[in-house]
Amino acid sequence: MVTKPIEGEKRAFMTGNEVVAWAALAAGADIMYGYPITPQNEIMHYWIRLAPKYDKNFLQTEDEISAGFTCVGGVMAGKKAFTATAGPGNILMQESMTMAEMMRIPTVLVVCQRGGPSTATVIYSQQEVTLTCFGGNGEGFRIVYSTSGQQDLFDYTIKAFNTAWKYRFPTFVLGDGYQAKMRESVTIYDPEVRGIKMIEPEPFVGKAGMPALDRDPAHYRNTYNLEEELYEVVTAMAKEFEQIAPELVEYQEFETEDCEVLILAHGVVSRAVRGAVEALRAQGIKAGHFRPITLRPFPAEQLKQTVQKAKKVLVVESAVGQLEKIIKQSTYGVTTPMTNYFRPGEGITVEEVVEEVVEEVKKLV
Amino acid sequence: METIIEPKMPKVWRKETKPHKFCPGCGHPLVLKVLGEAIEELEIQERTVFGCDIGCSLLAWDFFNVDSVQTHHGRTTPVITGIKRANSNLIGIAYMGDGGGYAIGSQHLVNAAARNEKITVILVNNTIYAMTGGQMAPTTLPNQKTETSPYGREIEATGYPTLGPEMVSAITQEGAYIARGTVANLRQLKKFIKNALENQVNGNGFSFVEALSLCPTNWRTNAEETWKFVEDEMTKYFKVGELKTPGKKEEA
C-alpha cells in the first residue's frame, strides 16, 4: 500500500511547517510525538493528515516533556521518531534532549523560534539560539542547523535524520516563526534522486534474540555513580564531538573575497543581509556576508579566517547577542573591530542593514 | 562436605550485577524478584523493556537480563510509552517510586492511564523520597516524620496522601488492570504483577500495580518496627487488593 511520498522532484508553494512535514516523510520518518505550541503546530497538522496514507504514526502527548521523552523512546525502539516545538516547549524538551545526549540517542527536533523570554510572542525571533545550542545540564553536545527558508527546511530536515543516525547526537533544525508560517517556492524531492542514501534506523532495545543467551541485554542509563566514571564518559564524548566537528560544520560566504565590511548573520536574517550586500556593492561599498549554517558545532576556523580579512565586522540578529556570543568566542584573538545590530523579536530588512553598514563605513573613514 | 544451596532465582535475574545495590532491608529487591518471576513465567523476557526512574528505582537499571533504560524523575512512563507506540510487540514496564509517579511524573501517569496506553506501570510506595535522604512524598502518612515534615506530616498544610490506584482506577476505562499489593505478601504481589503484565500481553490496556514497600534506612526503624509500619500502619490508609480487572467493573 505504501508508495513513496514524493516521486522524483516537484516544485511546490508551501509554508515552512508544511515543508518540514513533507521532508520528514521524504526522510522516512516513522512516528512523530508532538505537543501543540505556536508557531510549529502545522508540522503536526500536516504530519497527522499525511500519516495514514504512508503507514506512519503520531502521538499527541500531554506536554512537551512527554513529547521529548516519548520521542527518545520511539528512537530506542528502532524507529525514526521526531518532534517539533518552540519557546517554552523548547525549554521543556531540553530535559529529554540531555538524556539523548548522554545515551547517544539520534533524536531529531525541529524548533520554530518564537519571541522570548517566557511566553513573549508567538511570532518570531532568533532568541532560542543559546537554548538550542547549549540548553540543558551538561556540555551541549548536539548538532544545530540554522535554516534560512523553505528550501533549507526541506534539505536540512532530511539531512538531520541522517546526521542524527550517523553521529548519534541529538540533532536540531532551528527555524523560526517567519519560516514556519510564510509560503514560498520550494523544490521537494525524494532523497534518492539526489543520491542521498537515508540511513536505516536500528533498535537500541528489543533487538532479536534472548538477552544474556543470544546477546547481551541492552542496559541504557544516564546516571553514573562515581566522578571518575562520569569524567571518562564526558571526556570521551567531548573528544568525539571535537573530532567529528570538521565533517559537520557548514557555512556560506557571499562576496567575502575582497570585503571590507563583513556582515555576520544566521537563519532568515541572512537573506536580508545577502540583499544588503548586493545593494551596498551597487553603492561601491565592499560588503560581504558570512552565514554559519551549523551553529553547533560552529564553523569557527573558517569564520576566523574571513573575519581577519575584513576591516570591520557587523553582527546582525533578531536577538540581543546570542549569535554574537558564539562568534566572539570563536574568533578569540582576532582584532577586527566588531559592532552589532540587534532587533530582539523583530524581523530585519535589507534597508535596515544597508543603513547600518553605511553608518559604520562613515566611522571607518 | 559442605553443601552450598543456591537460592532459586528467576532466569531474568542478572547474576553479574549481584549482590544488588539496594540498602539492606529495602523493599525494591523483593518487588523486583517477583517481577522477575512473573516475566519468566509469562515467557516474555525476550521482548520485555524495563524502564526505571532516577531515585532508588534507578539502581535496577542493570538488574535483569532484559533490555533496560534508566531515565529521569517521573519520565519513565513517557519513555516506555514512546517505545511501546513505536513497537507494539514489546512489553513495556515502567518501574518507579511514589515521587516519580505521584509527584513529578503525575501528569504522565494520569495521561498515560487516560489514554489507556498498553503498558504496565509498577510503582513502589515507601511513603518517602528515599534516595534524596528521606523527604516527604505524596504518600507520606498523616503525622509521619520525614526530613521535610520533621514534626510529622500536617494534613492541614500538606493534604492527604495520594491514593494512586484509586485515582488511576477513576480515570481508566475498560481493559485496565489496577491493583495494590505489598511486599508483606509477596505471593499476592506476584499475582498482581503477573496479572498486570498478562493484561499487556493480551493487549487489553493500561495496567498499574502499586507495591507497598519498605525503607528502614530513612524510616530509621529496626526490623520489627519496619514490618509493623508496612503491615499495620500503611495498610490502614492504603488498602491492598485488586481495584479493576478487565471485563469486570470496579471492585471495592
Side-chain angles (χ1 to χ4, degrees):
Chain A
M1 103 174 215
V2 184
T3 50
K4 279 192 172 181
I6 304 165
E7 299 280 356
E9 293 202 6
K10 281 189 178 98
R11 287 292 282 170
F13 187 63
M14 286 181 181
T15 65
N17 284 336
E18 193 174 0
V19 165
V20 170
W22 277 104
L25 273 178
D30 299 294
I31 181 164
M32 179 182 186
Y33 298 92
Y35 187 76
I37 192 166
T38 308
Q40 64 79 38
N41 294 310
E42 295 83 7
I43 296 176
M44 204 164 51
H45 302 174
Y46 289 116
W47 175 266
I48 188 68
R49 277 168 176 73
L50 294 165
K53 294 182 193 166
Y54 302 101
D55 207 12
K56 308 290 183 185
N57 289 310
F58 174 77
L59 174 67
Q60 183 171 327
T61 55
E62 59 273 19
D63 57 21
E64 285 95 347
I65 297 174
S66 185
F69 279 102
T70 47
C71 181
V72 167
V75 174
M76 293 191 88
K79 293 290 158 65
K80 278 193 194 175
F82 77 107
T83 186
T85 193
N90 192 358
I91 294 173
L92 295 181
M93 282 193 188
Q94 291 303 319
E95 190 192 336
S96 52
M97 293 304 116
T98 57
M99 185 170 109
E101 186 178 324
M102 179 59 105
M103 291 186 183
R104 305 293 301 275
I105 309 289
T107 47
V108 172
L109 169 52
V110 180
V111 177
C112 302
Q113 296 169 91
R114 55 189 266 172
S118 198
T119 312
T121 69
V122 297
I123 309 165
Y124 162 86
S125 84
Q126 293 190 312
Q127 293 170 287
E128 292 177 52
V129 167
T130 305
L131 179 64
T132 308
C133 293
F134 304 103
N137 56 340
E139 308 295 333
F141 297 131
R142 70 261 308 259
I143 295 133
V144 180
Y145 293 114
S146 169
T147 60
S148 69
Q150 265 51 345
Q151 197 59 56
D152 271 358
L153 280 173
F154 193 81
D155 297 346
Y156 284 101
T157 299
I158 288 173
K159 195 170 207 169
F161 282 97
N162 268 355
T163 302
W165 279 94
K166 183 173 177 190
Y167 297 100
R168 303 213 161 181
F169 283 105
T171 303
F172 295 75
V173 176
L174 185 68
D176 58 65
Y178 285 170
Q179 295 176 61
K181 298 285 188 182
M182 73 182 174
R183 245 174 234 284
E184 65 179 353
S185 295
V186 58
T187 303
I188 60 172
Y189 50 83
D190 168 15
E192 230 170 70
V193 303
R194 297 259 176 122
I196 302 166
K197 197 174 159 18
M198 296 312 296
I199 298 173
E200 284 303 313
E202 53 180 89
F204 287 62
V205 294
K207 285 185 186 179
M210 182 65 88
L213 203 68
D214 308 321
R215 62 174 175 91
D216 279 337
H219 285 144
Y220 288 93
R221 61 165 165 167
N222 66 95
T223 304
Y224 290 86
N225 301 333
L226 304 172
E227 291 172 349
E228 292 80 359
E229 214 180 352
L230 181 65
Y231 170 83
E232 273 179 30
V233 170
V234 177
T235 311
M237 221 190 295
K239 200 174 156 196
E240 192 185 340
F241 194 75
E242 200 178 307
Q243 272 171 359
I244 62 170
E247 295 171 34
L248 284 163
V249 289
E250 289 188 41
Y251 61 97
Q252 283 180 330
E253 292 192 65
F254 299 91
E255 311 274 5
T256 53
E257 268 311 302
D258 61 341
C259 89
E260 292 180 349
V261 182
L262 179 70
I263 314 167
L264 304 180
H266 78 100
V268 79
V269 175
S270 168
R271 294 167 67 166
V273 170
R274 251 178 285 172
V277 166
E278 280 172 27
L280 288 161
R281 288 263 166 186
Q283 290 182 34
I285 294 171
K286 287 183 177 169
H289 171 41
F290 184 100
R291 172 201 171 199
I293 295 173
T294 50
L295 298 185
R296 185 97 175 116
F298 198 77
E301 280 313 306
Q302 295 85 347
L303 176 67
K304 220 168 173 175
Q305 283 173 19
T306 307
V307 168
Q308 275 168 330
K309 290 191 291 192
K311 288 181 182 162
K312 182 104 194 172
V313 175
L314 177 70
V315 182
V316 182
E317 58 176 311
S318 297
V320 189
Q322 300 200 19
L323 174 68
E324 191 194 51
K325 223 179 281 173
I326 303 173
I327 289 167
K328 282 188 170 168
Q329 183 197 21
S330 304
T331 56
Y332 180 75
V334 176
T335 53
T336 317
M338 193 181 289
T339 54
N340 54 56
Y341 184 69
F342 297 154
R343 308 291 296 172
E346 278 192 352
I348 294 169
T349 63
V350 171
E351 293 72 23
E352 284 172 270
V353 180
V354 168
E355 199 181 314
E356 194 64 22
V357 170
V358 170
E359 285 303 308
E360 288 302 325
V361 169
K362 277 183 199 159
K363 288 184 210 162
L364 275 180
V365 184
Chain B
M1 211 177 84
E2 201 181 352
T3 326
I4 298 167
I5 302 167
E6 279 205 22
K8 192 179 169 290
M9 291 299 176
K11 259 191 287 176
V12 294
W13 202 255
R14 186 162 174 79
K15 281 188 188 155
E16 292 89 327
T17 59
K18 305 298 173 294
H20 57 69
K21 309 167 190 95
F22 295 96
C23 296
C26 176
H28 275 287
L30 297 171
V31 183
L32 291 166
K33 187 186 174 187
V34 293
L35 171 61
E37 287 172 354
I39 291 170
E40 182 175 349
E41 286 169 24
L42 291 168
E43 298 181 348
I44 52 170
Q45 178 184 354
E46 199 171 346
R47 58 192 181 113
T48 290
V49 180
F50 173 84
C52 56
D53 261 41
I54 308 183
C56 295
S57 81
L58 83 83
L59 296 173
W61 72 275
D62 60 352
F63 199 91
F64 292 128
N65 280 321
V66 301
D67 290 350
S68 310
V69 50
Q70 174 265 317
T71 176
H72 297 180
H73 309 96
R75 312 305 176 215
T76 310
T77 304
V79 170
I80 294 298
T81 297
I83 288 172
K84 183 77 183 184
R85 288 269 179 167
N87 183 352
S88 58
N89 183 46
L90 298 174
I91 299 297
I93 301 170
Y95 183 80
M96 64 197 67
D98 38 49
Y102 299 149
I104 191 166
S106 56
Q107 78 272 38
H108 305 313
L109 176 64
V110 165
N111 286 283
R115 287 195 303 261
N116 207 18
E117 295 289 347
K118 293 174 177 56
I119 62 169
T120 300
V121 175
I122 297 169
L123 187 147
V124 177
N125 173 3
N126 58 11
T127 74
I128 212 153
Y129 284 15
M131 189 168 270
T132 44
Q135 296 86 0
M136 189 179 75
T139 46
T140 297
L141 291 174
N143 303 317
Q144 187 182 344
K145 286 182 181 172
T146 72
E147 292 297 333
T148 51
S149 59
Y151 308 111
R153 179 174 185 170
E154 283 179 54
I155 296 311
E156 271 291 298
T158 62
Y160 280 91
T162 302
L163 292 168
E166 288 79 359
M167 172 182 74
V168 174
S169 188
I171 59 172
T172 44
Q173 304 294 330
E174 271 172 55
Y177 176 85
I178 298 142
R180 181 187 283 120
T182 167
V183 294
N185 186 348
L186 278 181
R187 283 199 184 149
Q188 184 198 47
L189 179 63
K190 181 179 160 184
K191 194 181 86 185
F192 292 167
I193 287 177
K194 204 173 160 183
N195 288 348
L197 287 172
E198 208 162 20
N199 198 45
Q200 185 180 169
V201 170
N202 295 336
N204 288 337
F206 192 71
S207 45
F208 180 71
V209 178
E210 181 186 286
L212 302 181
S213 186
L214 318 162
C215 184
T217 305
N218 285 295
W219 291 353
R220 296 171 194 168
T221 47
N222 62 25
E224 196 185 340
E225 288 164 5
T226 299
W227 285 100
K228 198 173 168 302
F229 189 77
V230 75
E231 288 185 294
D232 302 339
E233 297 304 314
M234 285 177 78
T235 50
K236 274 183 211 159
Y237 195 88
F238 303 113
K239 302 291 176 211
V240 171
E242 283 181 323
L243 283 88
K244 196 183 257 185
T245 54
K248 265 192 283 180
K249 289 285 171 196
E250 276 180 56
E251 286 178 345

